[in-house]
């Protein structure tokens, strides 16, 4: 009897989107660590006129990631829009399944680069192919839309943040393991072979679960009068609140510019002096970043009992601004983790902004609106990737932490539009007046990421 119940519970869990997110994030952390170390090893002997060997390696690595991330940012824009339109027409799984199929190509391709000792520039051509499937933009938007249309406005923020928590936990575990797996079997097959093979297996399982087991939940009525709460004040509006949507987009884009630009450089920054991290230390550093998913969720758990959504966003922005400002002066591993600890609430803003944004549009436009947000962030990537890369390269000999100080300043500026939204929104949109709607401690494990940030770490 007990085994039957456990089996039924496991099957019910496999019908949800959470296992898809967890498996995909484990695969992604393995892939990201492998890609960084493969690029580092390949450019170890780079040489640029007037630069030291280490600065030449830094310039070559940052140039590689600039081109790579620009391709990742630009190519999936149109496919993501088409997949979002398909999702809004009833095929909610399409953005998730199609994007996962493309990502599987990238995992296999990097493994071939390692096995056949190909230059990492080969990935530029391959990334064009797999990003035509929509990439992370389509995948994460598909997940967020699936959650948004199947929850009430009252519980949407906590459900989205719960998934981002699981995303972060998966990233934490994957990052802790990835640095050690990278060197296994390296002497015979090449560094990263086992790590990439594990990434491929996990991603294939994620795709299989999404295709076969994932079920689209019943959409909760959002327009007009809710069936669950006939007089609910938080029901979705009949029309788009354009002013609030534009302000929320501006806040999200500004914050993404700051976070994305800093994270863009952080991976390269830690492998140069004075830190000079190994593969294992890179994994631990990524784990520290993923741990922010946990602390952000706990912060949401604590603060939302007495604060509205706009205040939560501001707390998260202040947390990131202070931590990344400190990062500008990091000169040791200890101070790096101290700076990271200040950003413990940095992942609260984006899911909360998504939740606020979904409350400003009818349910029928939710998918396209969230995709519009994600594409806006993509366009910001086209700006911050070259800007932060060139500033970093230009300050390598002087003050390489300048990019992190710039990130902190932009974050402070991002607080302006979200503060205006707070003045425009009725109190009911950001607060919870009923105690039974608050997050309970039993929901911490949940049933992050994304996230990312991370990320959102990258993508």
């Amino acid at each position: 009897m007990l085994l039957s119940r456990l089996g039924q519970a496991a099957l019910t869990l496999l019908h949800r989107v959470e296992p898809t997110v967890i498996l995909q994030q484990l695969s992604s952390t393995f892939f990201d660590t492998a890609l960084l170390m493969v690029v580092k090893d390949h450019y170890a002997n780079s040489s640029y006129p007037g630069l030291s060997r280490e600065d030449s390696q830094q310039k070559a690595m940052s140039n590689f990631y600039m081109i790579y991330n620009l391709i990742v940012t630009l190519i999936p824009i149109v496919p993501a829009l088409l997949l979002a339109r398909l999702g809004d027409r009833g095929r909610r799984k399409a953005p998730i399944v199609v994007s996962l199929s493309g990502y599987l190509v990238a995992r296999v391709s990097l493994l071939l680069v390692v096995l056949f000792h190909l230059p990492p520039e080969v990935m530029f051509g391959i990334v064009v192919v797999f990003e035509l499937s929509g990439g992370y933009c389509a995948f994460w938007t598909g997940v967020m839309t699936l959650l948004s249309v199947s929850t009430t406005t009252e519980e949407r923020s906590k459900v989205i943040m719960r998934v981002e928590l699981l995303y972060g936990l998966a990233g934490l575990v994957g990052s802790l393991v990835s640095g050690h797996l990278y060197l296994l079997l390296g002497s015979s097959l090449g560094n990263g072979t086992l790590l990439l093979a594990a990434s491929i297996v996990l991603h294939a399982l994620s795709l299989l679960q999404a295709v076969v087991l994932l079920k689209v939940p019943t959409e909760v009525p959002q327009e007009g009068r809710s069936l669950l709460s006939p007089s609910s004040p938080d029901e979705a509006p009949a029309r788009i609140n354009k002013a609030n949507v534009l302000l929320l987009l501006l806040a999200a884009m500004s914050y993404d510019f700051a976070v994305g630009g800093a994270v863009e450089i952080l991976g390269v920054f830690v492998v140069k002096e004075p830190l000079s991290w190994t593969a294992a230390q890179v994994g631990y550093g990524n784990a520290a970043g993923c741990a922010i998913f946990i602390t952000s969720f706990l912060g949401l758990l604590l603060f939302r009992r007495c604060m509205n959504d706009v205040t939560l966003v501001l707390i998260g922005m202040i947390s990131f601004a202070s931590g990344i400002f400190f990062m500008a002066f990091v000169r040791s591993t200890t101070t790096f983790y101290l700076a990271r600890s200040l950003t413990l609430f940095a992942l609260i803003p984006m899911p909360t902004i998504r939740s606020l944004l979904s409350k400003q549009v009818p349910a029928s436009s939710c998918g396209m609106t969230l995709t519009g947000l994600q594409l806006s962030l993509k366009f910001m990537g086209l700006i911050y990737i070259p800007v932060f890369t060139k500033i970093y390269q230009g300050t390598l000999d002087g003050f390489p932490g300048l990019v992190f100080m710039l990130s902190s300043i932009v974050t402070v500026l991002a607080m302006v539009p979200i503060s205006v939204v707070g003045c425009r929104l009725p109190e009911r949109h950001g607060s919870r007046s009923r105690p039974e709607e608050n997050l309970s401690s039993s929901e911490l494990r949940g049933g992050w990421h994304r996230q990312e940030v991370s990320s959102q770490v990258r993508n």
Side-chain angles (χ1 to χ4, degrees):
M1 186 68 177
L2 179 60
L3 291 176
S4 177
R5 289 182 178 179
L6 289 176
Q8 186 176 5
L11 186 61
T12 301
L13 179 62
L14 289 174
H15 289 325
R16 299 168 61 91
V17 75
E18 284 85 345
T20 312
V21 172
I22 291 172
L23 291 170
Q24 190 274 342
Q25 175 63 351
L26 284 171
S27 172
S28 292
T29 53
F30 287 2
F31 176 83
D32 290 342
T33 299
L35 180 61
L36 175 62
M37 300 311 298
V38 166
V39 172
K40 177 188 176 184
D41 292 343
H42 179 77
Y43 292 119
N45 297 317
S46 297
S47 176
Y48 285 91
L51 294 179
S52 65
R53 181 177 176 180
E54 184 184 44
D55 286 350
S56 294
Q57 182 191 37
Q58 285 283 297
K59 184 172 182 178
M61 291 179 65
S62 57
N63 280 336
F64 172 87
Y65 272 111
M66 179 178 67
I67 298 172
Y68 181 88
N69 288 327
L70 282 172
I71 296 172
V72 169
T73 300
L74 183 61
I75 298 299
I77 291 176
V78 174
L81 281 172
L82 296 176
L83 288 170
R85 177 65 62 86
L86 189 61
D88 279 344
R89 290 180 177 178
R91 298 183 181 274
R92 295 294 185 189
K93 287 171 56 172
I96 298 174
V97 172
V98 175
S99 58
L100 287 177
S101 301
Y103 268 108
L104 188 58
V105 175
R107 274 62 175 156
V108 174
S109 300
L110 186 57
L111 179 59
L112 294 177
V113 167
V114 173
L115 290 176
F116 294 101
H117 306 287
L118 301 174
E121 287 84 359
V122 172
M123 294 298 295
F124 294 156
I126 296 170
V127 75
V128 171
V129 176
F130 81 77
E131 286 295 337
L132 288 173
S133 65
Y136 181 80
C137 179
F139 172 76
W140 197 245
T141 299
V143 172
M144 292 295 104
T145 302
L146 204 63
L147 295 172
S148 296
V149 300
S150 60
T151 57
T152 62
T153 54
E154 290 84 1
E155 64 181 5
R156 190 170 299 157
S157 292
K158 67 180 181 182
V159 170
I160 290 176
M161 198 62 199
R162 185 174 63 195
V163 171
E164 297 223 5
L165 169 67
L166 294 174
Y167 183 91
L169 286 172
L172 175 64
V173 174
S175 297
L176 289 173
V177 174
S178 63
H180 299 285
L181 284 179
Y182 178 76
L183 297 176
L184 293 181
L185 302 180
S187 58
S188 58
L189 297 176
N191 290 339
T193 303
L194 181 60
L195 181 62
L196 286 167
S199 175
I200 292 170
V201 170
L202 288 169
H203 202 85
L205 290 174
S206 176
L207 177 59
L208 185 64
Q209 187 268 340
V211 172
V212 178
L213 297 175
L214 177 61
K215 289 186 177 180
V216 178
T218 303
E219 297 189 10
V220 176
Q222 303 288 341
E223 297 183 79
R225 289 179 172 270
S226 169
L227 298 179
L228 299 178
S229 180
S231 59
S232 172
D234 275 340
E235 61 191 13
R239 294 185 301 174
I240 298 177
N241 190 324
K242 294 182 180 180
N244 286 348
V245 167
L246 289 176
L247 287 168
L248 289 169
L249 286 175
L250 179 59
M253 291 166 65
S254 301
Y255 188 61
D256 184 71
F257 181 93
V259 175
V263 173
E264 171 74 17
I265 300 302
L266 199 57
V268 180
F269 177 78
V270 297
V271 296
K272 71 178 290 292
E273 290 183 354
L275 298 183
S276 302
W277 280 5
T278 63
Q281 289 175 310
V282 168
Y284 295 149
N286 290 340
C290 292
I292 298 175
F293 283 96
I294 303 173
T295 55
S296 293
F297 182 81
L298 293 175
L300 187 68
L301 182 80
L302 175 66
F303 296 138
R304 72 179 304 119
R305 296 178 179 272
C306 55
M307 298 179 184
N308 60 31
D309 284 348
V310 170
T311 306
L312 290 174
V313 173
L314 292 175
I315 289 175
M317 289 182 173
I318 292 171
S319 173
F320 178 78
S322 58
I324 208 64
F325 183 84
F326 188 11
M327 190 69 71
F329 305 98
V330 163
R331 294 295 179 269
S332 67
T333 298
T334 301
T335 53
F336 173 89
Y337 285 113
L338 287 174
R340 267 300 197 185
S341 67
L342 292 176
T343 63
L344 74 171
F345 300 132
L347 296 182
I348 290 179
M350 290 309 295
T352 309
I353 289 175
R354 287 189 183 98
S355 176
L356 283 168
L357 194 59
S358 68
K359 296 173 185 178
Q360 310 305 312
V361 298
S364 60
S365 302
C366 186
M368 284 300 295
T369 302
L370 292 178
T371 299
L373 169 62
Q374 203 67 27
L375 291 177
S376 300
L377 304 185
K378 286 286 185 180
F379 282 116
M380 291 307 298
L382 297 176
I383 301 174
Y384 71 66
I385 290 173
V387 168
F388 276 76
T389 299
K390 294 304 180 182
I391 292 176
Y392 177 68
Q393 291 177 352
T395 56
L396 277 172
D397 292 331
F399 182 39
L402 179 63
V403 289
F404 302 128
M405 188 175 294
L406 173 63
S407 175
S408 178
I409 294 172
V410 175
T411 301
V412 173
L413 295 177
M415 297 170 63
V416 175
I418 197 67
S419 298
V420 176
V421 171
C423 297
R424 288 176 52 85
L425 284 178
E427 185 179 357
R428 62 177 179 267
H429 280 294
S431 62
R432 292 184 178 272
S433 58
R434 294 177 293 176
E436 64 269 19
E437 291 177 346
N438 289 331
L439 289 167
S440 63
S441 59
S442 64
E443 289 173 313
L444 178 59
R445 288 293 297 169
W448 82 142
H449 244 253
R450 34 279 117 119
Q451 187 132 298
E452 147 209 41
V453 189
S454 325
S455 22
Q456 137 179 0
V457 174
R458 194 174 288 123
N459 305 331

